[in-house]
Amino acid sequence: MSSGRRGRISDDEINELISKLQALLPESSRRRNASRSSASKLLKETCAYIKSLHQEVDDLSERLSGLMSTMDNDSPQAEIIRSLLR
Amino acid sequence: MAAFKQDLFRNLLLGLRARTTEAACPFDAMSLQERKRAIKCSADVAMAAARRGVAGAAIGGRARWPKAILAAAAASSSSHSPGGTCKVRKSACCKRRVARRRVDAKRTIRGYAAAASCDVARRLVRRRTMALRKVIPGGSAAAMDEAALLRETMDYVVHLRAQVDVLRAVSAAVQRSTFLGYIFVLHFVDPMKD
């Protein structure tokens, strides 16, 4: 990512991508318009957001795992799940 | 996105089914952590496979993160043990992280030599960009310019959110069916009759 390579991509294109990315982030982390300094803030927020999504996946996987273990093996829903996975 | 979620869900079931038959270890017999790892890894593979299946818009054809996920999963399935898949992926990430830190140090030294304020901002952006590469599958490996990385990030975020939605819906459904199962038993099985 040298400055030479950056010369090929216009600042406008980068700014457009940055504002598109900003639109994807949750409401609570919306900030002012993109400038050089808040570009780094946006990248930081994006990183944090992705990590929080990863954590959610982790928690949901754990919950699903637990739900499957509490199911009584003889129950009808356990049989349904088992047949889906067979 | 609805079609993507359906594909993801279908792939998830197929993946879980394949995992339990391959390992010759039914879900019931796994430990809580083993089952959790299986679900998590299947969900990632399901997401990546569903993304690749999308008929290529130009952006879709260029998305790298699905290939990175599938490559990591394929590499770890050859060294198969119940916890194998995610362990292998984790150690690969750690190796990459160590390499990154060394590169960072070199760049910081060069940065101190420069010392202009716009250079400081640029360094900060560079550091944040490298941090972003670490959380995006395949982000560290590929030689992506800033624009490509931003596009890749947006694509990944959108589909990662969908994965969360699907997992949430599935666990809600399982929870509901467990609850309904109890209700069924309580209402329709007359304890007096037996």
PDB file of all heavy atoms in Angstrom, chain A residues 9 13-14 24 40 47 49 54 56-58 62 65 69 73 84-86, chain B residues 17 28 32 35-36 40 122 124 128 131-132 145-146 151 156 161 163 168:
ATOM      1  N   ILE A   9      -5.693   5.099  -7.571  1.00  0.00           N
ATOM      2  CA  ILE A   9      -7.089   5.167  -7.155  1.00  0.00           C
ATOM      3  C   ILE A   9      -7.377   6.569  -6.659  1.00  0.00           C
ATOM      4  O   ILE A   9      -6.702   7.081  -5.794  1.00  0.00           O
ATOM      5  CB  ILE A   9      -7.368   4.143  -6.029  1.00  0.00           C
ATOM      6  CG1 ILE A   9      -7.037   2.744  -6.498  1.00  0.00           C
ATOM      7  CG2 ILE A   9      -8.808   4.226  -5.580  1.00  0.00           C
ATOM      8  CD1 ILE A   9      -6.446   1.902  -5.425  1.00  0.00           C
ATOM      9  N   GLU A  13     -12.953   8.129  -5.155  1.00  0.00           N
ATOM     10  CA  GLU A  13     -13.408   6.732  -5.101  1.00  0.00           C
ATOM     11  C   GLU A  13     -13.288   6.194  -3.674  1.00  0.00           C
ATOM     12  O   GLU A  13     -14.193   5.540  -3.161  1.00  0.00           O
ATOM     13  CB  GLU A  13     -12.574   5.868  -6.066  1.00  0.00           C
ATOM     14  CG  GLU A  13     -13.114   4.449  -6.177  1.00  0.00           C
ATOM     15  CD  GLU A  13     -12.278   3.567  -7.087  1.00  0.00           C
ATOM     16  OE1 GLU A  13     -11.475   4.124  -7.865  1.00  0.00           O
ATOM     17  OE2 GLU A  13     -12.424   2.347  -7.014  1.00  0.00           O
ATOM     18  N   ILE A  14     -12.160   6.520  -3.036  1.00  0.00           N
ATOM     19  CA  ILE A  14     -11.954   6.073  -1.662  1.00  0.00           C
ATOM     20  C   ILE A  14     -13.019   6.675  -0.753  1.00  0.00           C
ATOM     21  O   ILE A  14     -13.614   5.976   0.064  1.00  0.00           O
ATOM     22  CB  ILE A  14     -10.542   6.451  -1.159  1.00  0.00           C
ATOM     23  CG1 ILE A  14      -9.462   5.743  -1.967  1.00  0.00           C
ATOM     24  CG2 ILE A  14     -10.408   6.170   0.327  1.00  0.00           C
ATOM     25  CD1 ILE A  14      -9.205   4.315  -1.571  1.00  0.00           C
ATOM     26  N   LEU A  24     -23.087   1.122   6.400  1.00  0.00           N
ATOM     27  CA  LEU A  24     -23.327  -0.250   6.835  1.00  0.00           C
ATOM     28  C   LEU A  24     -23.218  -0.411   8.346  1.00  0.00           C
ATOM     29  O   LEU A  24     -23.784  -1.333   8.922  1.00  0.00           O
ATOM     30  CB  LEU A  24     -22.310  -1.194   6.186  1.00  0.00           C
ATOM     31  CG  LEU A  24     -22.558  -1.609   4.752  1.00  0.00           C
ATOM     32  CD1 LEU A  24     -21.473  -2.594   4.331  1.00  0.00           C
ATOM     33  CD2 LEU A  24     -23.915  -2.267   4.577  1.00  0.00           C
ATOM     34  N   SER A  40      -9.718   6.889   9.752  1.00  0.00           N
ATOM     35  CA  SER A  40      -9.118   5.887  10.629  1.00  0.00           C
ATOM     36  C   SER A  40     -10.093   5.480  11.722  1.00  0.00           C
ATOM     37  O   SER A  40     -10.120   4.323  12.147  1.00  0.00           O
ATOM     38  CB  SER A  40      -7.813   6.418  11.218  1.00  0.00           C
ATOM     39  OG  SER A  40      -8.049   7.129  12.403  1.00  0.00           O
ATOM     40  N   CYS A  47     -13.659  -2.551  12.324  1.00  0.00           N
ATOM     41  CA  CYS A  47     -12.979  -3.680  12.966  1.00  0.00           C
ATOM     42  C   CYS A  47     -13.746  -4.149  14.181  1.00  0.00           C
ATOM     43  O   CYS A  47     -13.984  -5.351  14.360  1.00  0.00           O
ATOM     44  CB  CYS A  47     -11.596  -3.221  13.421  1.00  0.00           C
ATOM     45  SG  CYS A  47     -10.280  -4.010  12.519  1.00  0.00           S
ATOM     46  N   TYR A  49     -16.868  -3.662  14.897  1.00  0.00           N
ATOM     47  CA  TYR A  49     -18.168  -4.205  14.505  1.00  0.00           C
ATOM     48  C   TYR A  49     -18.038  -5.650  14.029  1.00  0.00           C
ATOM     49  O   TYR A  49     -18.814  -6.522  14.429  1.00  0.00           O
ATOM     50  CB  TYR A  49     -18.792  -3.330  13.417  1.00  0.00           C
ATOM     51  CG  TYR A  49     -20.175  -3.749  12.995  1.00  0.00           C
ATOM     52  CD1 TYR A  49     -21.169  -4.021  13.924  1.00  0.00           C
ATOM     53  CD2 TYR A  49     -20.510  -3.873  11.645  1.00  0.00           C
ATOM     54  CE1 TYR A  49     -22.437  -4.411  13.533  1.00  0.00           C
ATOM     55  CE2 TYR A  49     -21.777  -4.242  11.246  1.00  0.00           C
ATOM     56  CZ  TYR A  49     -22.733  -4.517  12.197  1.00  0.00           C
ATOM     57  OH  TYR A  49     -23.987  -4.899  11.805  1.00  0.00           O
ATOM     58  N   HIS A  54     -18.533 -11.521  15.029  1.00  0.00           N
ATOM     59  CA  HIS A  54     -17.878 -12.806  15.280  1.00  0.00           C
ATOM     60  C   HIS A  54     -18.255 -13.338  16.661  1.00  0.00           C
ATOM     61  O   HIS A  54     -18.501 -14.532  16.846  1.00  0.00           O
ATOM     62  CB  HIS A  54     -16.349 -12.674  15.191  1.00  0.00           C
ATOM     63  CG  HIS A  54     -15.841 -12.570  13.796  1.00  0.00           C
ATOM     64  ND1 HIS A  54     -14.570 -12.168  13.492  1.00  0.00           N
ATOM     65  CD2 HIS A  54     -16.428 -12.825  12.600  1.00  0.00           C
ATOM     66  CE1 HIS A  54     -14.405 -12.167  12.178  1.00  0.00           C
ATOM     67  NE2 HIS A  54     -15.517 -12.562  11.610  1.00  0.00           N
ATOM     68  N   GLU A  56     -20.969 -12.663  18.306  1.00  0.00           N
ATOM     69  CA  GLU A  56     -22.369 -13.098  18.259  1.00  0.00           C
ATOM     70  C   GLU A  56     -22.489 -14.491  17.684  1.00  0.00           C
ATOM     71  O   GLU A  56     -23.253 -15.324  18.191  1.00  0.00           O
ATOM     72  CB  GLU A  56     -23.188 -12.121  17.412  1.00  0.00           C
ATOM     73  CG  GLU A  56     -24.058 -11.195  18.235  1.00  0.00           C
ATOM     74  CD  GLU A  56     -25.135 -10.519  17.415  1.00  0.00           C
ATOM     75  OE1 GLU A  56     -24.795  -9.559  16.702  1.00  0.00           O
ATOM     76  OE2 GLU A  56     -26.296 -10.964  17.487  1.00  0.00           O
ATOM     77  N   VAL A  57     -21.747 -14.748  16.612  1.00  0.00           N
ATOM     78  CA  VAL A  57     -21.763 -16.080  16.006  1.00  0.00           C
ATOM     79  C   VAL A  57     -21.298 -17.110  17.027  1.00  0.00           C
ATOM     80  O   VAL A  57     -21.882 -18.191  17.164  1.00  0.00           O
ATOM     81  CB  VAL A  57     -20.877 -16.138  14.742  1.00  0.00           C
ATOM     82  CG1 VAL A  57     -20.691 -17.570  14.267  1.00  0.00           C
ATOM     83  CG2 VAL A  57     -21.481 -15.293  13.641  1.00  0.00           C
ATOM     84  N   ASP A  58     -20.256 -16.746  17.766  1.00  0.00           N
ATOM     85  CA  ASP A  58     -19.716 -17.634  18.795  1.00  0.00           C
ATOM     86  C   ASP A  58     -20.785 -17.930  19.852  1.00  0.00           C
ATOM     87  O   ASP A  58     -21.013 -19.089  20.222  1.00  0.00           O
ATOM     88  CB  ASP A  58     -18.495 -16.970  19.427  1.00  0.00           C
ATOM     89  CG  ASP A  58     -17.637 -17.955  20.176  1.00  0.00           C
ATOM     90  OD1 ASP A  58     -16.793 -18.613  19.538  1.00  0.00           O
ATOM     91  OD2 ASP A  58     -17.824 -18.097  21.399  1.00  0.00           O
ATOM     92  N   GLU A  62     -22.767 -21.457  20.655  1.00  0.00           N
ATOM     93  CA  GLU A  62     -22.748 -22.057  21.994  1.00  0.00           C
ATOM     94  C   GLU A  62     -24.178 -22.326  22.470  1.00  0.00           C
ATOM     95  O   GLU A  62     -24.467 -23.378  23.036  1.00  0.00           O
ATOM     96  CB  GLU A  62     -22.035 -21.120  22.966  1.00  0.00           C
ATOM     97  CG  GLU A  62     -21.881 -21.713  24.347  1.00  0.00           C
ATOM     98  CD  GLU A  62     -20.612 -21.234  25.034  1.00  0.00           C
ATOM     99  OE1 GLU A  62     -19.844 -20.475  24.416  1.00  0.00           O
ATOM    100  OE2 GLU A  62     -20.402 -21.629  26.191  1.00  0.00           O
ATOM    101  N   SER A  65     -25.602 -25.243  20.641  1.00  0.00           N
ATOM    102  CA  SER A  65     -24.986 -26.451  21.158  1.00  0.00           C
ATOM    103  C   SER A  65     -25.642 -26.861  22.467  1.00  0.00           C
ATOM    104  O   SER A  65     -25.955 -28.030  22.688  1.00  0.00           O
ATOM    105  CB  SER A  65     -23.486 -26.216  21.357  1.00  0.00           C
ATOM    106  OG  SER A  65     -22.885 -27.348  21.926  1.00  0.00           O
ATOM    107  N   SER A  69     -28.209 -30.130  23.573  1.00  0.00           N
ATOM    108  CA  SER A  69     -27.872 -31.075  24.636  1.00  0.00           C
ATOM    109  C   SER A  69     -28.999 -31.199  25.651  1.00  0.00           C
ATOM    110  O   SER A  69     -29.154 -32.228  26.278  1.00  0.00           O
ATOM    111  CB  SER A  69     -26.586 -30.664  25.339  1.00  0.00           C
ATOM    112  OG  SER A  69     -26.796 -29.469  26.053  1.00  0.00           O
ATOM    113  N   ASN A  73     -33.671 -36.964  24.598  1.00  0.00           N
ATOM    114  CA  ASN A  73     -33.403 -37.788  23.425  1.00  0.00           C
ATOM    115  C   ASN A  73     -34.622 -38.491  22.868  1.00  0.00           C
ATOM    116  O   ASN A  73     -34.661 -38.846  21.705  1.00  0.00           O
ATOM    117  CB  ASN A  73     -32.312 -38.815  23.751  1.00  0.00           C
ATOM    118  CG  ASN A  73     -30.942 -38.297  23.380  1.00  0.00           C
ATOM    119  OD1 ASN A  73     -30.800 -37.666  22.339  1.00  0.00           O
ATOM    120  ND2 ASN A  73     -29.964 -38.543  24.203  1.00  0.00           N
ATOM    121  N   LEU A  84     -33.149 -34.305  10.360  1.00  0.00           N
ATOM    122  CA  LEU A  84     -32.598 -33.256   9.500  1.00  0.00           C
ATOM    123  C   LEU A  84     -31.096 -33.447   9.300  1.00  0.00           C
ATOM    124  O   LEU A  84     -30.560 -33.129   8.245  1.00  0.00           O
ATOM    125  CB  LEU A  84     -32.831 -31.875  10.129  1.00  0.00           C
ATOM    126  CG  LEU A  84     -34.210 -31.236   9.955  1.00  0.00           C
ATOM    127  CD1 LEU A  84     -34.295 -29.990  10.803  1.00  0.00           C
ATOM    128  CD2 LEU A  84     -34.469 -30.882   8.504  1.00  0.00           C
ATOM    129  N   LEU A  85     -30.446 -33.973  10.336  1.00  0.00           N
ATOM    130  CA  LEU A  85     -28.990 -34.074  10.287  1.00  0.00           C
ATOM    131  C   LEU A  85     -28.502 -35.426   9.797  1.00  0.00           C
ATOM    132  O   LEU A  85     -27.317 -35.640   9.628  1.00  0.00           O
ATOM    133  CB  LEU A  85     -28.396 -33.820  11.680  1.00  0.00           C
ATOM    134  CG  LEU A  85     -28.638 -32.419  12.248  1.00  0.00           C
ATOM    135  CD1 LEU A  85     -28.168 -32.363  13.687  1.00  0.00           C
ATOM    136  CD2 LEU A  85     -27.912 -31.382  11.427  1.00  0.00           C
ATOM    137  N   ARG A  86     -29.451 -36.367   9.545  1.00  0.00           N
ATOM    138  CA  ARG A  86     -29.028 -37.723   9.176  1.00  0.00           C
ATOM    139  C   ARG A  86     -28.524 -37.785   7.741  1.00  0.00           C
ATOM    140  O   ARG A  86     -29.098 -37.147   6.882  1.00  0.00           O
ATOM    141  CB  ARG A  86     -30.185 -38.694   9.364  1.00  0.00           C
ATOM    142  CG  ARG A  86     -29.739 -39.859  10.265  1.00  0.00           C
ATOM    143  CD  ARG A  86     -30.725 -40.972  10.328  1.00  0.00           C
ATOM    144  NE  ARG A  86     -32.082 -40.566  10.522  1.00  0.00           N
ATOM    145  CZ  ARG A  86     -32.702 -40.523  11.707  1.00  0.00           C
ATOM    146  NH1 ARG A  86     -32.055 -40.823  12.784  1.00  0.00           N
ATOM    147  NH2 ARG A  86     -33.957 -40.180  11.779  1.00  0.00           N
TER     148      ARG A  86
ATOM    149  N   ARG B  17     -24.738 -32.336   8.859  1.00  0.00           N
ATOM    150  CA  ARG B  17     -24.996 -33.737   8.579  1.00  0.00           C
ATOM    151  C   ARG B  17     -23.706 -34.436   8.146  1.00  0.00           C
ATOM    152  O   ARG B  17     -23.358 -35.497   8.650  1.00  0.00           O
ATOM    153  CB  ARG B  17     -26.048 -33.867   7.482  1.00  0.00           C
ATOM    154  CG  ARG B  17     -26.638 -35.253   7.361  1.00  0.00           C
ATOM    155  CD  ARG B  17     -27.587 -35.324   6.196  1.00  0.00           C
ATOM    156  NE  ARG B  17     -28.727 -34.454   6.373  1.00  0.00           N
ATOM    157  CZ  ARG B  17     -29.569 -34.123   5.384  1.00  0.00           C
ATOM    158  NH1 ARG B  17     -29.375 -34.586   4.182  1.00  0.00           N
ATOM    159  NH2 ARG B  17     -30.592 -33.330   5.627  1.00  0.00           N
ATOM    160  N   ASP B  28     -25.274 -36.207  19.561  1.00  0.00           N
ATOM    161  CA  ASP B  28     -25.553 -36.507  20.959  1.00  0.00           C
ATOM    162  C   ASP B  28     -24.284 -36.861  21.723  1.00  0.00           C
ATOM    163  O   ASP B  28     -24.161 -36.590  22.910  1.00  0.00           O
ATOM    164  CB  ASP B  28     -26.527 -37.696  21.053  1.00  0.00           C
ATOM    165  CG  ASP B  28     -27.773 -37.488  20.210  1.00  0.00           C
ATOM    166  OD1 ASP B  28     -27.787 -36.541  19.412  1.00  0.00           O
ATOM    167  OD2 ASP B  28     -28.711 -38.273  20.351  1.00  0.00           O
ATOM    168  N   LEU B  32     -20.151 -30.381  24.702  1.00  0.00           N
ATOM    169  CA  LEU B  32     -20.741 -29.075  24.394  1.00  0.00           C
ATOM    170  C   LEU B  32     -19.815 -28.249  23.506  1.00  0.00           C
ATOM    171  O   LEU B  32     -20.242 -27.648  22.524  1.00  0.00           O
ATOM    172  CB  LEU B  32     -21.024 -28.325  25.703  1.00  0.00           C
ATOM    173  CG  LEU B  32     -21.875 -27.065  25.565  1.00  0.00           C
ATOM    174  CD1 LEU B  32     -23.347 -27.420  25.621  1.00  0.00           C
ATOM    175  CD2 LEU B  32     -21.560 -26.057  26.671  1.00  0.00           C
ATOM    176  N   ARG B  35     -19.478 -29.695  19.938  1.00  0.00           N
ATOM    177  CA  ARG B  35     -20.663 -29.416  19.143  1.00  0.00           C
ATOM    178  C   ARG B  35     -20.678 -27.943  18.720  1.00  0.00           C
ATOM    179  O   ARG B  35     -21.002 -27.600  17.592  1.00  0.00           O
ATOM    180  CB  ARG B  35     -21.918 -29.759  19.955  1.00  0.00           C
ATOM    181  CG  ARG B  35     -23.148 -30.011  19.108  1.00  0.00           C
ATOM    182  CD  ARG B  35     -24.207 -30.786  19.861  1.00  0.00           C
ATOM    183  NE  ARG B  35     -24.325 -30.336  21.230  1.00  0.00           N
ATOM    184  CZ  ARG B  35     -24.401 -31.161  22.283  1.00  0.00           C
ATOM    185  NH1 ARG B  35     -24.369 -32.465  22.101  1.00  0.00           N
ATOM    186  NH2 ARG B  35     -24.513 -30.688  23.501  1.00  0.00           N
ATOM    187  N   LYS B  36     -20.284 -27.086  19.654  1.00  0.00           N
ATOM    188  CA  LYS B  36     -20.236 -25.651  19.360  1.00  0.00           C
ATOM    189  C   LYS B  36     -19.265 -25.360  18.217  1.00  0.00           C
ATOM    190  O   LYS B  36     -19.567 -24.610  17.286  1.00  0.00           O
ATOM    191  CB  LYS B  36     -19.813 -24.877  20.606  1.00  0.00           C
ATOM    192  CG  LYS B  36     -19.526 -23.403  20.352  1.00  0.00           C
ATOM    193  CD  LYS B  36     -18.864 -22.765  21.538  1.00  0.00           C
ATOM    194  CE  LYS B  36     -18.323 -21.393  21.192  1.00  0.00           C
ATOM    195  NZ  LYS B  36     -17.701 -20.731  22.344  1.00  0.00           N
ATOM    196  N   LYS B  40     -20.135 -23.799  14.588  1.00  0.00           N
ATOM    197  CA  LYS B  40     -19.488 -22.559  14.171  1.00  0.00           C
ATOM    198  C   LYS B  40     -18.762 -22.730  12.843  1.00  0.00           C
ATOM    199  O   LYS B  40     -18.875 -21.899  11.931  1.00  0.00           O
ATOM    200  CB  LYS B  40     -18.504 -22.129  15.254  1.00  0.00           C
ATOM    201  CG  LYS B  40     -18.166 -20.675  15.224  1.00  0.00           C
ATOM    202  CD  LYS B  40     -17.341 -20.302  16.434  1.00  0.00           C
ATOM    203  CE  LYS B  40     -16.688 -18.963  16.187  1.00  0.00           C
ATOM    204  NZ  LYS B  40     -15.800 -18.574  17.270  1.00  0.00           N
ATOM    205  N   ARG B 122      -1.521   9.238   8.129  1.00  0.00           N
ATOM    206  CA  ARG B 122      -1.393   8.144   7.174  1.00  0.00           C
ATOM    207  C   ARG B 122      -0.979   6.855   7.867  1.00  0.00           C
ATOM    208  O   ARG B 122      -1.469   5.777   7.550  1.00  0.00           O
ATOM    209  CB  ARG B 122      -0.366   8.510   6.099  1.00  0.00           C
ATOM    210  CG  ARG B 122      -0.609   7.806   4.766  1.00  0.00           C
ATOM    211  CD  ARG B 122       0.361   8.280   3.716  1.00  0.00           C
ATOM    212  NE  ARG B 122       0.166   9.694   3.392  1.00  0.00           N
ATOM    213  CZ  ARG B 122       1.137  10.488   2.966  1.00  0.00           C
ATOM    214  NH1 ARG B 122       2.374  10.041   2.847  1.00  0.00           N
ATOM    215  NH2 ARG B 122       0.895  11.763   2.679  1.00  0.00           N
ATOM    216  N   LEU B 124      -1.622   6.070  10.940  1.00  0.00           N
ATOM    217  CA  LEU B 124      -2.771   5.580  11.703  1.00  0.00           C
ATOM    218  C   LEU B 124      -3.727   4.807  10.799  1.00  0.00           C
ATOM    219  O   LEU B 124      -4.193   3.722  11.148  1.00  0.00           O
ATOM    220  CB  LEU B 124      -3.493   6.776  12.342  1.00  0.00           C
ATOM    221  CG  LEU B 124      -4.528   6.453  13.423  1.00  0.00           C
ATOM    222  CD1 LEU B 124      -3.907   5.689  14.568  1.00  0.00           C
ATOM    223  CD2 LEU B 124      -5.154   7.743  13.943  1.00  0.00           C
ATOM    224  N   ARG B 128      -4.741   0.913  11.090  1.00  0.00           N
ATOM    225  CA  ARG B 128      -6.139   0.474  11.174  1.00  0.00           C
ATOM    226  C   ARG B 128      -6.458  -0.473  10.025  1.00  0.00           C
ATOM    227  O   ARG B 128      -7.211  -1.432  10.172  1.00  0.00           O
ATOM    228  CB  ARG B 128      -7.085   1.696  11.089  1.00  0.00           C
ATOM    229  CG  ARG B 128      -6.889   2.710  12.183  1.00  0.00           C
ATOM    230  CD  ARG B 128      -7.835   2.432  13.332  1.00  0.00           C
ATOM    231  NE  ARG B 128      -7.732   3.488  14.320  1.00  0.00           N
ATOM    232  CZ  ARG B 128      -7.157   3.338  15.500  1.00  0.00           C
ATOM    233  NH1 ARG B 128      -6.651   2.171  15.827  1.00  0.00           N
ATOM    234  NH2 ARG B 128      -7.105   4.346  16.340  1.00  0.00           N
ATOM    235  N   ALA B 131      -5.197  -3.834  10.817  1.00  0.00           N
ATOM    236  CA  ALA B 131      -6.069  -4.475  11.801  1.00  0.00           C
ATOM    237  C   ALA B 131      -7.313  -5.022  11.119  1.00  0.00           C
ATOM    238  O   ALA B 131      -7.791  -6.111  11.450  1.00  0.00           O
ATOM    239  CB  ALA B 131      -6.445  -3.470  12.888  1.00  0.00           C
ATOM    240  N   LEU B 132      -7.828  -4.267  10.173  1.00  0.00           N
ATOM    241  CA  LEU B 132      -9.012  -4.709   9.437  1.00  0.00           C
ATOM    242  C   LEU B 132      -8.713  -5.966   8.628  1.00  0.00           C
ATOM    243  O   LEU B 132      -9.516  -6.893   8.593  1.00  0.00           O
ATOM    244  CB  LEU B 132      -9.481  -3.588   8.508  1.00  0.00           C
ATOM    245  CG  LEU B 132     -10.812  -3.799   7.775  1.00  0.00           C
ATOM    246  CD1 LEU B 132     -11.946  -3.984   8.767  1.00  0.00           C
ATOM    247  CD2 LEU B 132     -11.103  -2.616   6.873  1.00  0.00           C
ATOM    248  N   ASP B 145      -5.420  -3.517  -2.653  1.00  0.00           N
ATOM    249  CA  ASP B 145      -5.268  -2.084  -2.419  1.00  0.00           C
ATOM    250  C   ASP B 145      -6.411  -1.608  -1.523  1.00  0.00           C
ATOM    251  O   ASP B 145      -7.330  -2.341  -1.224  1.00  0.00           O
ATOM    252  CB  ASP B 145      -5.198  -1.315  -3.731  1.00  0.00           C
ATOM    253  CG  ASP B 145      -6.439  -1.517  -4.577  1.00  0.00           C
ATOM    254  OD1 ASP B 145      -7.531  -1.725  -4.007  1.00  0.00           O
ATOM    255  OD2 ASP B 145      -6.323  -1.480  -5.813  1.00  0.00           O
ATOM    256  N   GLU B 146      -6.338  -0.346  -1.115  1.00  0.00           N
ATOM    257  CA  GLU B 146      -7.311   0.198  -0.164  1.00  0.00           C
ATOM    258  C   GLU B 146      -8.737   0.023  -0.632  1.00  0.00           C
ATOM    259  O   GLU B 146      -9.617  -0.397   0.111  1.00  0.00           O
ATOM    260  CB  GLU B 146      -7.028   1.689   0.048  1.00  0.00           C
ATOM    261  CG  GLU B 146      -6.559   1.997   1.442  1.00  0.00           C
ATOM    262  CD  GLU B 146      -6.347   3.479   1.657  1.00  0.00           C
ATOM    263  OE1 GLU B 146      -6.856   4.281   0.853  1.00  0.00           O
ATOM    264  OE2 GLU B 146      -5.658   3.807   2.626  1.00  0.00           O
ATOM    265  N   ARG B 151     -14.097  -2.635  -0.367  1.00  0.00           N
ATOM    266  CA  ARG B 151     -15.189  -3.371  -1.024  1.00  0.00           C
ATOM    267  C   ARG B 151     -15.351  -4.748  -0.403  1.00  0.00           C
ATOM    268  O   ARG B 151     -16.467  -5.222  -0.156  1.00  0.00           O
ATOM    269  CB  ARG B 151     -14.923  -3.478  -2.529  1.00  0.00           C
ATOM    270  CG  ARG B 151     -15.443  -2.292  -3.306  1.00  0.00           C
ATOM    271  CD  ARG B 151     -15.313  -2.503  -4.789  1.00  0.00           C
ATOM    272  NE  ARG B 151     -14.554  -1.411  -5.384  1.00  0.00           N
ATOM    273  CZ  ARG B 151     -13.350  -1.524  -5.925  1.00  0.00           C
ATOM    274  NH1 ARG B 151     -12.757  -2.686  -5.973  1.00  0.00           N
ATOM    275  NH2 ARG B 151     -12.745  -0.470  -6.416  1.00  0.00           N
ATOM    276  N   TYR B 156     -18.181  -8.602   3.093  1.00  0.00           N
ATOM    277  CA  TYR B 156     -18.087  -9.539   4.210  1.00  0.00           C
ATOM    278  C   TYR B 156     -19.059  -9.156   5.327  1.00  0.00           C
ATOM    279  O   TYR B 156     -19.757 -10.017   5.856  1.00  0.00           O
ATOM    280  CB  TYR B 156     -16.648  -9.564   4.727  1.00  0.00           C
ATOM    281  CG  TYR B 156     -16.428 -10.550   5.858  1.00  0.00           C
ATOM    282  CD1 TYR B 156     -16.731 -11.899   5.700  1.00  0.00           C
ATOM    283  CD2 TYR B 156     -15.918 -10.128   7.080  1.00  0.00           C
ATOM    284  CE1 TYR B 156     -16.533 -12.804   6.732  1.00  0.00           C
ATOM    285  CE2 TYR B 156     -15.715 -11.026   8.118  1.00  0.00           C
ATOM    286  CZ  TYR B 156     -16.027 -12.356   7.935  1.00  0.00           C
ATOM    287  OH  TYR B 156     -15.823 -13.243   8.953  1.00  0.00           O
ATOM    288  N   ARG B 161     -23.540 -10.461   8.688  1.00  0.00           N
ATOM    289  CA  ARG B 161     -24.782 -10.108   9.379  1.00  0.00           C
ATOM    290  C   ARG B 161     -25.861 -11.129   9.076  1.00  0.00           C
ATOM    291  O   ARG B 161     -26.628 -11.525   9.957  1.00  0.00           O
ATOM    292  CB  ARG B 161     -25.248  -8.728   8.922  1.00  0.00           C
ATOM    293  CG  ARG B 161     -24.921  -7.617   9.877  1.00  0.00           C
ATOM    294  CD  ARG B 161     -26.004  -6.583   9.831  1.00  0.00           C
ATOM    295  NE  ARG B 161     -26.009  -5.846   8.575  1.00  0.00           N
ATOM    296  CZ  ARG B 161     -25.467  -4.629   8.429  1.00  0.00           C
ATOM    297  NH1 ARG B 161     -24.892  -4.049   9.456  1.00  0.00           N
ATOM    298  NH2 ARG B 161     -25.517  -4.016   7.277  1.00  0.00           N
ATOM    299  N   GLN B 163     -25.426 -14.225   8.315  1.00  0.00           N
ATOM    300  CA  GLN B 163     -25.101 -15.461   9.036  1.00  0.00           C
ATOM    301  C   GLN B 163     -25.627 -15.379  10.473  1.00  0.00           C
ATOM    302  O   GLN B 163     -26.225 -16.333  10.980  1.00  0.00           O
ATOM    303  CB  GLN B 163     -23.589 -15.681   9.044  1.00  0.00           C
ATOM    304  CG  GLN B 163     -23.174 -16.997   9.697  1.00  0.00           C
ATOM    305  CD  GLN B 163     -21.679 -17.052   9.991  1.00  0.00           C
ATOM    306  OE1 GLN B 163     -21.129 -16.147  10.607  1.00  0.00           O
ATOM    307  NE2 GLN B 163     -21.044 -18.115   9.569  1.00  0.00           N
ATOM    308  N   ARG B 168     -29.469 -16.961  14.603  1.00  0.00           N
ATOM    309  CA  ARG B 168     -30.433 -16.517  15.601  1.00  0.00           C
ATOM    310  C   ARG B 168     -31.786 -17.166  15.352  1.00  0.00           C
ATOM    311  O   ARG B 168     -32.450 -17.653  16.287  1.00  0.00           O
ATOM    312  CB  ARG B 168     -30.576 -14.988  15.551  1.00  0.00           C
ATOM    313  CG  ARG B 168     -30.895 -14.377  16.896  1.00  0.00           C
ATOM    314  CD  ARG B 168     -31.049 -12.884  16.786  1.00  0.00           C
ATOM    315  NE  ARG B 168     -29.789 -12.176  16.835  1.00  0.00           N
ATOM    316  CZ  ARG B 168     -29.503 -11.102  16.108  1.00  0.00           C
ATOM    317  NH1 ARG B 168     -30.381 -10.607  15.280  1.00  0.00           N
ATOM    318  NH2 ARG B 168     -28.330 -10.497  16.221  1.00  0.00           N
TER     319      ARG B 168
END
